[in-house]
Amino acid sequence: MNILIIGSGGRESAFAYKIAQSKKLDKLFIAPGNAGTLAYGENVPLKVTDFEGQAQFALDNKIDLILVGPEEPLVKGIHDYFLSREDIKHIPVIGPQQEGAQLEGSKDFSKQFMQRHQIPTAASRSFDRSNLEEGLAYLETQNLPIVLKADGLAAGKGVLICESLQEAKDELKAMIADAKFGAASDVVVVEEFLKGIELSVFVLTDGTSYKVLPSAKDYKRIGEGDTGLNTGGMGSISPVPFADEIFLSKVEERIIKPTVDGLKKDNIPYKGFIFIGLMNVGGEPFVIEYNVRMGDPETESVLPRIESDLVDLLEGVAQGNLDTRSYTVSSKTAVTVMLVSGGYPGDYESGKVISNIENVKESIVFHAGTKEQNGEVLSAGGRVIAVTTLQDTLFDALQQATADAGRIYFDGKYFRRDIGFDLI
Ligand code: AMP
Ligand code: GLY
């Protein structure tokens, strides 16, 4: 098969790494890819939302399957675009159509979906310009802290946890009346604060059957000890030690099955990944959010643990017979440490020469924000490289990943040395 991956981050590097191992693969392309994906396939200079360009490339290169990494093209309708054209609709796209992508693209849509299908989640109400006064009055009846969420995509910044009533009222007004997050906060979901420990569970579905992929936990804050600003993710581990068999069976019965069945009942076609952000509240799982793609850097910890052929699984999704595909997971622990540019998630410099990658022997080096120029690898983003180690124990994996993260060099490099140490 010829496969085209859409995206350019650490997640897409991990997909490329895994897909390149498949016996079913003929040629792999990554659009646009990065310096690291060159090791697994050919980079194609196309933007992730250039659907016409992707379509032409797919026709010219006899692409048999398209795997979409990030949410933006999904929410903007890449899958619908391919289905809408006679000449390309035979090419399967892994990732939901626009309607299903609303699970991530609209918090209000996803809350209504969960309520309709009795999927455990925080109690909530949605407000907009027409009932802002009601929203302000509603805040007075709620416990603190309280969570305000912009309905639409806001680059991971649209969630506010307010500690005081005044702050909550000010923010609700700023979001709805003053468009704090642009059109994304025309509608705001006001949600009960859940106290617990977060983890993510990933599901691959063909719309009827599903495979539960390894669980993972990511570390979102920039600083050690989970301090400082939120980032796209500074590291991840898989599996999650506190997500034992009992907890995961609750997740499957109460959340995964009703989610896949709910999509079917609502006539929402869905072929792709579902990323379920969960809060473990005293042993009971609640959904914090859905994403319609894999997580980054969770993918870098999850995929190396999957022993099965990912292309075979993706083919099962495309053909609607995922239940017939073999699926096994390694019992080893994966730890991913992200190397970022100094200053990230604020301003940072790019174009720094990255060296010593070849000295990492015991970990997988996934490129995230990198580019190749005149034979050198340069940084080209906030999150630059993800180092993943697979070991028999969490402790060994943590030590190895941290040591290997230290071996790679670029000017201004920063990484957290405490990824996963809270769980030992
Ligand atoms: P989201 O974009 O929905 O993932 O929210 C971003 C982050 O806000 C989550 O990863 C949680 O850490 C936090 N968060 C969101 N909703 C809640 C909630 N209901 N209770 C507590 N924390 C939350
Ligand atoms: N690591 C969180 C995300 O991919 O959304």
Side-chain angles (χ1 to χ4, degrees), residues 107 149 159 191-194 198 220 279 288-289:
K107 303 262 189 215
K149 299 186 170 182
V159 175
E191 182 171 290
E192 163 198 22
F193 179 83
L194 295 175
E198 279 184 76
K220 290 202 173 86
M279 192 73 87
I288 293 270
E289 64 166 348

Side-chain angles (χ1 to χ4, degrees), residues 43-73:
N43 288 349
V44 184
L46 287 172
K47 289 211 177 84
V48 298
T49 52
D50 179 0
F51 303 158
E52 249 173 69
Q54 292 155 357
Q56 193 55 49
F57 182 85
L59 285 171
D60 293 345
N61 293 277
K62 299 195 168 45
I63 296 296
D64 299 299
L65 183 136
I66 298 181
L67 171 60
V68 185
E71 65 277 17
E72 193 193 2

Side-chain angles (χ1 to χ4, degrees), residues 11 218 220 232-233 275 291 293-298:
R11 166 183 48 215
D218 84 336
K220 290 202 173 86
F275 163 159
N291 295 306
R293 52 176 172 86
M294 288 295 287
D296 193 355
E298 292 93 328

Side-chain angles (χ1 to χ4, degrees), residues 5 28 34 60 74 97 108 160-161 183 186 191 243 273 320 346 348 354 375 403 413 416:
I5 299 175
L28 177 62
N34 60 38
D60 293 345
L74 294 168
Q97 289 152 251
D108 185 42
L160 303 176
I161 296 173
D186 283 351
E191 182 171 290
F273 294 94
Y348 56 83
I354 303 167
K413 177 188 86 172
R416 277 180 60 171

Side-chain angles (χ1 to χ4, degrees), residues 230-241:
N230 260 321
T231 70
M234 294 296 293
S236 59
I237 63 156
S238 175
V240 183

Side-chain angles (χ1 to χ4, degrees), residues 114-374:
M114 286 184 260
Q115 280 152 11
R116 192 159 58 244
H117 300 293
Q118 282 103 45
I119 294 166
T121 185
S124 74
R125 277 192 61 187
S126 296
F127 299 96
D128 61 18
R129 211 171 258 276
S130 72
N131 62 355
L132 174 56
E133 288 305 319
E134 211 180 309
L136 295 170
Y138 176 76
L139 287 175
E140 299 198 4
T141 67
Q142 298 300 300
N143 294 327
L144 292 168
I146 182 106
V147 185
L148 307 188
K149 299 186 170 182
D151 173 55
L153 292 182
K157 294 187 169 66
V159 175
L160 303 176
I161 296 173
C162 300
E163 303 289 340
S164 77
L165 178 60
Q166 194 56 48
E167 182 190 356
K169 286 181 162 182
D170 291 346
E171 292 291 359
L172 188 64
K173 279 189 266 189
M175 288 168 89
I176 293 174
D178 306 332
K180 177 167 179 158
F181 299 107
S185 62
D186 283 351
V187 175
V188 174
V189 175
V190 177
E191 182 171 290
E192 163 198 22
F193 179 83
L194 295 175
K195 199 166 167 40
I197 175 156
E198 279 184 76
L199 71 151
S200 303
V201 170
F202 302 91
V203 177
L204 178 63
T205 182
D206 59 7
T208 300
S209 63
Y210 60 84
K211 304 281 190 214
V212 183
L213 307 183
S215 61
K217 177 172 164 56
D218 84 336
Y219 289 78
K220 290 202 173 86
R221 302 297 193 97
I222 187 72
E224 289 176 2
D226 284 326
T227 54
L229 293 173
N230 260 321
T231 70
M234 294 296 293
S236 59
I237 63 156
S238 175
V240 183
F242 61 82
D244 56 16
E245 221 169 293
I246 294 173
F247 180 79
L248 288 176
S249 73
K250 290 180 186 172
V251 172
E252 183 159 4
E253 288 307 317
R254 297 178 196 171
I255 295 170
I256 296 175
K257 279 189 187 152
T259 298
V260 174
D261 290 346
L263 287 165
K264 213 168 175 177
K265 279 186 201 148
D266 292 349
N267 287 316
I268 301 175
Y270 200 111
K271 285 179 182 288
F273 294 94
I274 312 175
F275 163 159
I276 308 174
L278 292 170
M279 192 73 87
N280 176 343
V281 183
E284 308 301 325
F286 289 81
V287 178
I288 293 270
E289 64 166 348
Y290 288 111
N291 295 306
V292 299
R293 52 176 172 86
M294 288 295 287
D296 193 355
E298 292 93 328
T299 308
E300 293 92 304
S301 288
V302 166
L303 289 185
R305 291 190 57 225
I306 297 179
E307 292 165 336
S308 323
D309 181 342
L310 183 62
V311 174
D312 185 55
L313 292 169
L314 297 177
E315 196 179 47
V317 171
Q319 296 176 356
N321 56 20
L322 182 60
D323 56 332
T324 65
R325 310 291 167 143
S326 96
Y327 173 63
T328 57
V329 171
S330 156
S331 60
K332 288 190 176 183
T333 291
V335 171
T336 299
V337 175
M338 192 64 87
L339 313 185
V340 306
S341 300
Y344 173 81
D347 293 338
Y348 56 83
E349 289 177 25
S350 290
K352 306 292 183 193
V353 178
I354 303 167
S355 57
N356 261 354
I357 292 178
E358 65 282 4
N359 289 347
V360 175
K361 310 255 188 258
E362 306 293 329
S363 298
I364 314 164
V365 177
F366 294 120
H367 290 227
T370 69
K371 65 172 182 189
E372 213 219 21
Q373 200 172 297
N374 304 327

